[in-house]
Structure formats: C-alpha cells, structure tokens
Amino acid sequence: MAGGERPLVRVRGLRKSFGGNVVLDGVDLDVREGEVTVLLGPSGSGKSTLLRCVNHLETPDAGFVEIGGDIVGYHQNGARLHALRSRAVTRQRAQVGMVFQQFNLFPHMTLLENITEAPVAVRRLPRKQAAARARELLERVGLGSREDSYPRQLSGGQQQRVAIARALAMEPRLLLFDEPTSALDPELVGEVLAVIQDLALGGMTMIVVTHEIGFARKVADTVVFLDGGRIIESGPPADVLTDPRHERARSFLAAVL
Amino acid sequence: MTQYDTPGRSVTAPGTAPPESGPEPPDPGPEQAAADQAPPLGLHTEPSDKDLLAARLVPARHPGQWLSAGVVLVLFAMLVHTVVANHRFQWPVVGDYFLRGSIMHGLELTLWLTAAVMATGYLLGIGIAAMRLSGNPVLRGLSFGYVWLIRSVPPLVQLLFWYELASLYPRLSVGIPFGPEFADFRTAHLFSGILAAYVGLSLDVAAFAGEIVRGGILAVDPGQREAARALGLGEGRIFRRIVLPQAMPAIVPASGNLLIGMLKATSIVSVIAVQDLLYSTQLIYNQNFLIMPLLMVATLWYIVLTTLLSIGQFYVERYYARGRDRQGRPPARGLWQVARANIPLFGRVAGPGPVGL
Ligand SMILES: Nc1ncnc2c1ncn2[C@@H]1O[C@H](COP(=O)(O)OP(=O)(O)O)[C@@H](O)[C@H]1O
Ligand SMILES: [Mg+2]
C-alpha cells in the first residue's frame, strides 16, 4: 500500500443525527484503492448510517465524504458546496455498489432482469451486451443455470450472491456491504463470504460491516471499530482483533467470539 | 352414500367384538373402501405402527354444509321460478329490446364514458398519490385537501355542480388576473351534459384512485426503493419499474371494484339527460310504460359487463402474481378451477378418498 497516494475514499468530520439522537459524531476514515475495510461495532453504533452516507442515501449534517476526488452529493465551487441535483447524485451512486442485509432483490424480476436493469438504464449498455455480462456474473457467483428463476425460488445465500452480482454489473469502484450474512442460516454464511473474499483477491475496494471476526482476520486490510458514532480503534486486524486497547472494543470482541 | 354419512365407528364402543385384523389386501373395491376406513381395532389390542401406517385417512365430514347448501338451492330455485314464471316480467319484451339500436347506443356511451373517466381519473389519481407521498408540504396539503373535499361530496351533487356551472360563472376567460384577457367562453357551451359527466366523474375517480394507489405504494418494502437508488436508478424509473409493479397486487383488486362501481355509477348521468344505457331504456319506457322489462334489459346488460370485467380482473391479478410464490410462476390454475374452488356446491374435492354425491 503506497503511503503517499490519495485514498479512494476519504471521510472527514462526518456528523449525523436523527432528531436529538446523535448517530455519527465526527467520523474520519480513509479507504485506499484495492483495500478491504471491515467495520465492527455494537448494534446502533452507526455502522449502517456511515455506509448510507458514503452512498448519499443519507445526507450528513456536517463533514463530507470524498470518493475519487469528488465530494459525494455536492459540487465544490470555491468556498461553497452546492448540493447536487438528483440526476448528478444518481451518477455518483452508480460508481458505488451496495449489498444489503435483506438482499433487496426485485421479486417481480428474474435474476437476469435484476442484474441487467441498472446497466441498461444507467450505463446505457445494449440489452444483449448487458445480458451476456449478467450471465458471466451469475456464473462467477455460482448460479450460472438460474438466470430465469425469480428471487423467491432461491435460498438466502443464493439471493445474496445474486445481489452481489447485481452490484458488480455496474462495475463499481467501491462496494459497500451492510451485514451481508446476518440474515442467513449459519450453513449459508460461508458461500457468501467466499464470494466476498474472492472479490478481495481480485482487488475490489470494499467496506464491509460484519460480525464475522474470522472473516475480518483473514480478509481485512484494516479493521475499524465504531462505538457511539465515533471510531475508537482502527488498524490492521492482527492488532485490533488480538489486542484492542479500548475497553469497549475488548468486551464487544469477547461477546461475538 | 349412506356409509359416508354415518359417523366413524368408535374404537372403544362397548360390545364391539375385535374382528380379525390380518394383513389386508391393499385393494378394496369402492364399496368396501368405506367399510375399511376405520381399521377395526378391538378393546384390548394396541394398534401397531404397521396398522396405523396402513390406516386410511378419512377427511372430516361437514353434513351441516350439505344441509345448508340444499336449503339455499331450494330457495334459489323458488326465486328463479317466480322471476321466470311471472308473466309480468314480460320476458319476450325483454328479448325484443335487448339488442335495439337505441339501447346499443346507450351501451356504447356507458362503455366509453366509463373508460374515459377511469383513464383520466387514474392519471390524475397517480399524480395525487405522488403528491401525497412527496416531501413537499404544499403538494401534500393540496392532495390531502382534494381527496377530503371530493370524498365529502356525493357524486350526484358534483355532477349537478359541473352541469350548472354556467349559472355561477356565465363567462370564463383566460388571462392574467386583473390584467388583459386572451380568450373568453360562454360556460353554457363549455359544460354540456356529457362534458359535465366526464369532468365530474373523473375528478371523483381521481380522489379514490389516488388513495388506492397510495395504499399500494405504501405496501412496497422501502428496501426496494433503497436498493434501486443504490444502483443509481433515477426516481422516475424506480417508480415505474420497481415500485409500481410491486404495488399492483394491492392496487388491482381495489381498482377492479372501483371500475365496476363506476360502470354502474355512470347511470347517474341520466339525471342530466345524457343518453347512457339506463337513460336509453328510460326514454323507451316513458313512451310505452313497459317499465319492468326495460329495467331488466338494462340490468342484464350491466350483469354481462360486470361479469366480463370480473373475468378480466382475474387474469390481470394472475399476471401481477408472478414471482410471488416459490414456484415463481403465476398459479397454473385457470379461471374455471378457481371458480369451482369458490362455488361451495362443487366443494373442495381435494383430499384422499372419494366424495359423495
Ligand atoms: N432514518 C432514521 N431515522 C431515525 N433514526 C434512525 C434512522 N436510521 C438510523 N437511526 C438510528 O440511528 C442509530 C444507529 O443506527 P444504525 O446506523 O443502523 O446502527 P448499526 O447499523 O450500527 O446497528 C440507531 O439508534 C437508529 O435507531
Ligand atoms: Mg446496521
């Protein structure tokens, strides 16, 4: 990891509250190109909100997220940040893929339609080309023969793999995972983590929220520990996971391990 | 038949001698099937697992259902008889007028007025639902107020209002308030009976359609919209391709109701002398006083149209059910199977064993 290079993702001073409830309380985070960052923390610590701010599904109250040199959701003009129109936000979002805990596949579309919808609508790929690419991706996540199935005909693990293929079809620069295996039966967790690990080996930049400590140890370049809307620990997994300095991190790890 | 109506033999009935229960030949005739349904077990013999596995499953009987069905059937036959046999209905007259030219014209008007009113009403209704669900408080308030007002006023009153609008504003002009006028109209010509009917009923449908569409949209999992946004889809495309198709299963049945209701509700235009199906029959019976047979003509036509619409609704519902079950396909059952399953007399014939009758 070249130290001098500008990180792909830079989060600075991010704050967000809902009503009086402060959910993110000044978060700074860097993610370098090709790195995997695993986000740990107790429920309600603001992990999902942080991911949603990165994708501008949530608008921060203060601070900013920068991806590839562009401020997410804003256009910089001298000393001012102008909020972007929804079309421009849409274009930014297309560079960032997101995978959800509940998969959120479109139930009324076949797997192929699920995957080709955005490339055809947003990237203006010809339908044929999008379909060919979708078949490749289904093959890659181990569902090559199921393109005409509907999501409800699949197991949770299979659905999540399709959701990953759907995100990859947009050729994103960054992939966000929000507890991708938390809704799965234990025996299905492995197949989804294997796909994510494969992406990591392929050099995909990712931020992964998960409680799978074994996965974090194996795949993460950086582990970030969030508590009460602040980052309390951050570093290589060998340090953060084996010998956390912070008491809260220690008790959390003891609880999930 | 009788064997089926007797209650199953009680296992512990005193005095029942334990019959031989050797291994049974697994192929009893239809007569014997009934006799074998409760494997004869004696007082002192514990049923072995083998006996239980070989035992025949007997579905629960519902003698009460059959009895009440019989009563209903008899009452229905009596009703049909009084209608058919009562010569004052004058069925030959009904037959004479059923396909008359003026009735056909009225039918045509009813059909296209219904179609135009529903199409316009739904276009407006989708807009009203979108306003109501938007983040803009002005739009939300407007659409709420609209729905409140329209739902509060009887459709007949709305119709008369538009028809009599000329008395309120004898002249309508297009221009800048307090400034120059670009054009002006005499309203008496603007709102003929048919236009008043179209405008009044469309605005009425819009309010109800708006509520139906809004309910359907609210029933869609917010995660769907979120996932579509994360993929970079635009808001318009998300609505058309992701939200609306998933709202349809909730929208279609209520809309079918509204459509059928509106088909019949168009008959109120007869009060402002629009010649729809009902008014065409009224024009005839005002001349010849054959009131009942002509009302029957209108009634039969409404029944025919409603039936066709119900069948159409069945197929639309089936289309939007795709992907909803684990088979992923719409249920393979056709209209006839569904009708059979819902008409009590045909009964639920599923389950093992023959069924009486
Ligand atoms: N849209 C929202 N409106 C109100 N409160 C919210 C919203 N989203 C999240 N929160 C609150 O923010 C806190 C953090 O949520 P979240 O980011 O989902 O935490 P995590 O993913 O770490 O469990 C929770 O207390 C949650 O109730
Ligand atoms: Mg969360």
Side-chain angles (χ1 to χ4, degrees):
Chain A
M1 324 297 150
E5 221 176 305
R6 193 180 177 87
L8 177 66
V9 182
R10 296 199 311 136
V11 177
R12 288 293 176 273
L14 204 63
R15 276 173 209 284
K16 178 77 186 174
S17 46
F18 294 105
N21 178 15
V22 178
V23 176
L24 294 179
D25 191 10
V27 172
D28 297 333
L29 179 70
D30 282 350
V31 180
R32 296 180 182 285
E33 185 112 45
E35 281 194 3
V36 178
T37 299
V38 166
L39 213 54
L40 295 178
S43 174
S45 58
K47 306 179 298 290
S48 298
T49 306
L50 176 55
L51 282 195
R52 292 159 53 77
C53 283
V54 170
N55 211 359
H56 210 61
L57 290 170
E58 216 64 84
T59 311
D61 298 336
F64 65 87
V65 176
E66 182 194 279
I67 298 177
D70 295 327
I71 306 285
V72 172
Y74 295 91
H75 167 69
Q76 191 179 1
N77 185 2
R80 293 176 187 204
L81 289 180
H82 297 275
L84 288 175
R85 302 191 149 270
S86 79
R87 189 174 295 270
V89 173
T90 295
R91 209 170 303 131
Q92 284 184 333
R93 274 193 197 127
Q95 304 183 16
V96 181
M98 187 153 182
V99 174
F100 300 86
Q101 183 176 347
Q102 300 297 339
F103 331 132
N104 293 350
L105 291 177
F106 307 132
H108 58 300
M109 295 181 172
T110 65
L111 302 192
L112 197 75
E113 289 165 346
N114 262 280
I115 299 175
T116 55
E117 175 69 17
V120 169
V122 183
R123 293 177 57 217
R124 309 251 169 245
L125 278 193
R127 199 164 278 282
K128 247 202 180 120
Q129 199 179 325
R133 174 85 181 119
R135 290 193 185 97
E136 271 173 45
L137 287 168
L138 278 174
E139 200 73 54
R140 185 158 153 202
V141 297
L143 288 161
S145 56
R146 304 296 298 272
E147 62 176 72
D148 290 325
S149 304
Y150 284 90
R152 292 223 172 100
Q153 297 168 267
L154 306 185
S155 73
Q158 290 171 325
Q159 289 191 50
Q160 194 59 298
R161 278 144 61 198
V162 174
I164 294 172
R166 179 174 72 174
L168 289 174
M170 290 300 285
E171 318 223 314
R173 303 180 68 180
L174 169 69
L175 263 184
L176 310 174
F177 291 85
D178 193 355
E179 304 200 28
T181 58
S182 297
L184 299 178
D185 292 337
E187 79 271 21
L188 302 178
V189 168
E191 65 188 52
V192 171
L193 292 182
V195 170
I196 301 175
Q197 186 171 6
D198 222 40
L199 290 172
L201 291 176
M204 176 63 76
T205 315
M206 298 188 274
I207 305 177
V208 185
V209 175
T210 184
H211 296 306
E212 300 288 332
I213 303 300
F215 170 84
R217 205 182 290 279
K218 239 187 320 185
V219 180
D221 295 295
T222 308
V223 172
V224 171
F225 199 97
L226 207 61
D227 187 55
R230 295 164 183 269
I231 292 180
I232 58 171
E233 297 249 8
S234 160
D239 300 350
V240 175
L241 295 178
T242 34
D243 187 23
R245 279 162 308 179
H246 206 285
E247 180 49 42
R248 295 276 302 166
R250 208 168 308 184
S251 59
F252 174 80
L253 284 178
V256 292
L257 275 179
Chain B
M1 180 76 199
T2 48
Q3 285 161 331
Y4 274 95
D5 292 336
T6 52
R9 229 174 302 171
S10 168
V11 177
T12 53
T16 320
E20 296 289 305
S21 65
E24 287 182 11
D27 183 25
E31 299 301 319
Q32 205 172 347
D36 287 343
Q37 62 189 342
L41 299 168
L43 266 177
H44 307 294
T45 46
E46 278 284 304
S48 74
D49 288 354
K50 195 161 133 272
D51 289 339
L52 288 174
L53 285 171
R56 192 177 289 273
L57 297 174
V58 183
R61 306 270 167 237
H62 305 284
Q65 272 183 19
W66 288 101
L67 191 68
S68 50
V71 172
V72 170
L73 204 63
V74 169
L75 289 175
F76 183 67
M78 286 162 68
L79 179 72
V80 170
H81 178 258
T82 64
V83 172
V84 172
N86 185 341
H87 64 91
R88 287 194 191 86
F89 272 103
Q90 307 184 65
W91 291 105
V93 179
V94 173
D96 282 348
Y97 281 98
F98 197 65
L99 295 172
R100 265 302 160 80
S102 67
I103 303 274
M104 289 293 105
H105 283 130
L107 181 66
E108 209 176 291
L109 188 138
T110 291
L111 282 176
W112 80 246
L113 182 62
T114 305
V117 159
M118 289 301 285
T120 313
Y122 263 78
L123 274 181
L124 294 174
I126 289 173
I128 285 168
M131 282 162 67
R132 186 76 186 277
L133 294 170
S134 81
N136 182 331
V138 178
L139 294 181
R140 272 207 310 264
L142 262 177
S143 102
F144 177 85
Y146 178 81
V147 171
W148 166 79
L149 181 67
I150 294 286
R151 286 208 298 202
S152 310
V153 183
L156 181 56
V157 176
Q158 292 177 46
L159 207 64
L160 291 172
F161 173 83
W162 291 107
Y163 190 54
E164 306 294 349
L165 191 66
S167 67
L168 219 50
Y169 298 102
R171 297 165 70 83
L172 267 187
S173 60
V174 180
I176 299 166
F178 311 110
E181 288 181 359
F182 302 133
D184 78 335
F185 309 91
R186 282 171 41 79
T187 44
H189 294 301
L190 260 186
F191 287 87
S192 63
I194 190 86
L195 189 62
Y198 168 69
V199 171
L201 292 176
S202 293
L203 293 179
D204 191 59
V205 168
F208 288 92
E211 287 299 281
I212 290 173
V213 171
R214 186 173 71 95
I217 289 171
L218 286 177
V220 177
D221 172 14
Q224 291 288 309
R225 200 184 280 261
E226 187 115 297
R229 282 209 187 112
L231 283 168
L233 295 175
E235 291 301 318
R237 177 126 185 154
I238 292 174
F239 183 73
R240 268 182 297 118
R241 296 272 300 172
I242 310 298
V243 176
L244 203 53
Q246 294 186 62
M248 286 308 268
I251 291 176
V252 171
S255 297
N257 254 344
L258 187 58
L259 170 59
I260 287 170
M262 192 42 60
L263 176 78
K264 293 176 294 178
T266 54
S267 61
I268 67 170
V269 301
S270 56
V271 299
I272 52 175
V274 173
Q275 274 191 50
D276 74 322
L277 177 57
L278 182 63
Y279 195 61
S280 322
T281 63
Q282 288 173 337
L283 285 179
I284 299 174
Y285 71 61
N286 285 341
Q287 301 285 319
N288 62 13
F289 303 105
L290 296 168
I291 298 178
M292 264 307 179
L294 277 153
L295 283 179
M296 287 313 287
V297 168
T299 303
L300 288 176
W301 271 118
Y302 283 119
I303 289 175
V304 167
L305 296 177
T306 303
T307 307
L308 292 177
L309 289 177
S310 303
I311 292 172
Q313 180 180 345
F314 168 81
Y315 284 104
V316 174
E317 276 179 27
R318 202 172 67 157
Y319 173 78
Y320 281 109
R322 74 195 191 286
R324 293 192 102 199
D325 62 351
R326 297 215 71 175
Q327 270 66 52
R329 303 272 160 231
R333 300 198 306 170
L335 184 63
W336 171 237
Q337 280 91 330
V338 172
R340 253 170 63 126
N342 283 294
I343 296 172
L345 270 185
F346 290 117
R348 300 168 148 268
V349 288
V355 162
L357 264 194

